[in-house]
Amino acid sequence: MGNGVKEGVVRLREDAEPILPAHVSSKTDHRQVLSSLLSGALAGALAKTAVAPLDRTKIIFQVSSKRFSAKEAFRVLYFTYLNEGFLSLWRGNSATMVRVVPYAAIQFSAHEEYKRLLGSYYGFRGEALPPWPRLLAGALAGTTAASLTYPLDLVRARMAVTPKEMYSNIFHVFIRISREEGLKTLYHGFIPTVLGVIPYAGLSFFTYETLKSLHREYSGRLQPYPFERMIFGACAGLIGQSASYPLDVVRRRMQTAGVTGHQRTSITRTMHTIMREEGVVRGLYKGLSMNWLKGPIAVGISFTTFDLMQILLRHLQS
């Protein structure tokens, strides 16, 4: 390998693609996509498994009229454990894994590709993107992943709020919904999901990438330490989830309307009903404090795992 190729291979930036000679770029692009898919899948699986009990509890409050408090959340966790056993705290996590592994793989991989495309378009190839393209790359990545994996998200929500006697496994949920409610139900709540994922994914990726860029600028180190990545990811999760939370509540209500007794209606009517019956803060932001606990943990683990896996795989490839 000549000096020019060597220089091209090692010119890596933390938030950008390698600058490679044309004759090796195609092969490397394929490797980068596979690397992003694998890293994203592992990141999503670890993050969601870590907070699954808190996630299930949050969904139970979101789809009911029960008032949220830390004490009530603890009671739900405790009585679920007493009545159904310890592993029941992870009920629906199998459906979560079936969804989150492809979702996270697609989202992280799509984000890398959108960064590459937008970087080329705006003339920032191989460099950190400016703010607006950085925000757009995250929003597009989240929308792409949500669109391709939505039915699995609905199945996971159904399993989280129903007793195990109602749905025995993931396939049973699909079969019963198809037979009793129609295939269209598998995409009920899709629009608020996409509307929510745009600010969530956009702000999450934007915040994380911006904090890494600022860290590199002011610390003089190209690579943050793992605990710094966790902090950056926690901040990203806190901002992203807070911005999109009301739409998260609305989509959960719409997804579980067939099994919780709520009437199946449109986004605006569902939101209006929640505000009328429970209030704006207590209804649309129900369970947000639990999200402030689990969200930063999950997003921190997710971003950190993805970055470290990418670094490891690059070392192995070189």
Side-chain angles (χ1 to χ4, degrees), residues 115-133:
K115 281 201 303 181
R116 194 170 291 117
L117 290 171
L118 290 170
S120 299
Y121 181 79
Y122 286 100
F124 286 87
R125 185 174 177 83
E127 301 178 18
L129 289 175
W132 280 111

Side-chain angles (χ1 to χ4, degrees), residues 280-303:
V280 176
V281 176
R282 291 179 179 175
L284 292 178
Y285 288 90
K286 180 188 292 184
L288 178 60
S289 57
M290 179 170 285
N291 235 41
W292 283 342
L293 173 62
K294 80 171 192 64
I297 294 172
V299 179
I301 292 173
S302 182
F303 277 123

Side-chain angles (χ1 to χ4, degrees), residues 5-48:
V5 176
K6 287 182 180 179
E7 291 175 3
V9 171
V10 298
R11 287 178 59 197
L12 296 174
R13 292 187 63 100
E14 173 63 19
D15 57 350
E17 63 178 326
I19 308 300
L20 296 168
H23 66 280
V24 298
S25 62
S26 177
K27 184 177 180 181
T28 306
D29 282 347
H30 293 151
R31 286 182 176 178
Q32 287 174 349
V33 170
L34 290 174
S35 172
S36 297
L37 287 170
L38 177 60
S39 301
L42 181 61
L46 289 177
K48 281 297 185 180

Side-chain angles (χ1 to χ4, degrees), residues 125-191:
R125 185 174 177 83
E127 301 178 18
L129 289 175
W132 280 111
R134 192 181 302 167
L135 184 67
L136 180 59
L140 288 172
T143 303
T144 301
S147 300
L148 295 174
T149 62
Y150 182 76
L152 295 169
D153 185 43
L154 183 140
V155 167
R156 175 250 182 174
R158 286 289 183 95
M159 291 188 74
V161 301
T162 55
K164 55 187 176 183
E165 293 78 16
M166 184 167 186
Y167 298 121
S168 57
N169 54 52
I170 299 170
F171 300 106
H172 190 205
V173 183
F174 276 110
I175 292 169
R176 283 197 62 173
I177 289 176
S178 301
R179 287 179 179 174
E180 299 173 9
E181 303 174 54
L183 288 173
K184 284 185 178 180
T185 303
L186 292 173
Y187 278 89
H188 198 63
F190 175 69
I191 294 176

Side-chain angles (χ1 to χ4, degrees), residues 14-234:
E14 173 63 19
D15 57 350
E17 63 178 326
I19 308 300
L20 296 168
H23 66 280
V24 298
S25 62
S26 177
K27 184 177 180 181
T28 306
D29 282 347
H30 293 151
R31 286 182 176 178
Q32 287 174 349
V33 170
L34 290 174
S35 172
S36 297
L37 287 170
L38 177 60
S39 301
L42 181 61
L46 289 177
K48 281 297 185 180
T49 300
V51 298
L54 296 176
D55 211 21
R56 184 186 179 192
T57 304
K58 182 202 73 171
I59 293 173
I60 290 171
F61 278 98
Q62 283 182 330
V63 303
S64 71
S65 57
K66 188 183 298 185
R67 183 176 176 179
F68 177 84
S69 68
K71 182 179 179 181
E72 282 299 313
F74 177 77
R75 288 186 61 179
V76 169
L77 280 167
Y78 181 66
F79 283 107
T80 301
Y81 162 69
L82 284 183
N83 297 328
E84 302 180 38
F86 179 72
L87 291 179
S88 67
L89 296 174
W90 277 264
R91 175 168 167 73
N93 195 51
S94 57
T96 301
M97 288 299 102
V98 171
R99 169 192 171 263
V100 84
V101 168
Y103 179 90
I106 292 168
Q107 180 175 239
F108 278 106
S109 180
H111 182 247
E112 294 300 304
E113 292 304 309
Y114 285 128
K115 281 201 303 181
R116 194 170 291 117
L117 290 171
L118 290 170
S120 299
Y121 181 79
Y122 286 100
F124 286 87
R125 185 174 177 83
E127 301 178 18
L129 289 175
W132 280 111
R134 192 181 302 167
L135 184 67
L136 180 59
L140 288 172
T143 303
T144 301
S147 300
L148 295 174
T149 62
Y150 182 76
L152 295 169
D153 185 43
L154 183 140
V155 167
R156 175 250 182 174
R158 286 289 183 95
M159 291 188 74
V161 301
T162 55
K164 55 187 176 183
E165 293 78 16
M166 184 167 186
Y167 298 121
S168 57
N169 54 52
I170 299 170
F171 300 106
H172 190 205
V173 183
F174 276 110
I175 292 169
R176 283 197 62 173
I177 289 176
S178 301
R179 287 179 179 174
E180 299 173 9
E181 303 174 54
L183 288 173
K184 284 185 178 180
T185 303
L186 292 173
Y187 278 89
H188 198 63
F190 175 69
I191 294 176
T193 297
V194 172
L195 293 177
V197 86
I198 290 173
Y200 170 67
L203 287 171
S204 295
F205 279 106
F206 172 82
T207 302
Y208 186 70
E209 296 283 332
T210 299
L211 290 174
K212 286 199 302 180
S213 180
L214 290 172
H215 171 274
R216 184 167 51 250
E217 180 180 345
Y218 289 103
S219 72
R221 287 187 285 113
L222 289 178
Q223 303 285 359
Y225 297 126
F227 78 89
E228 291 173 325
R229 295 178 193 275
M230 285 288 292
I231 293 172
F232 299 160

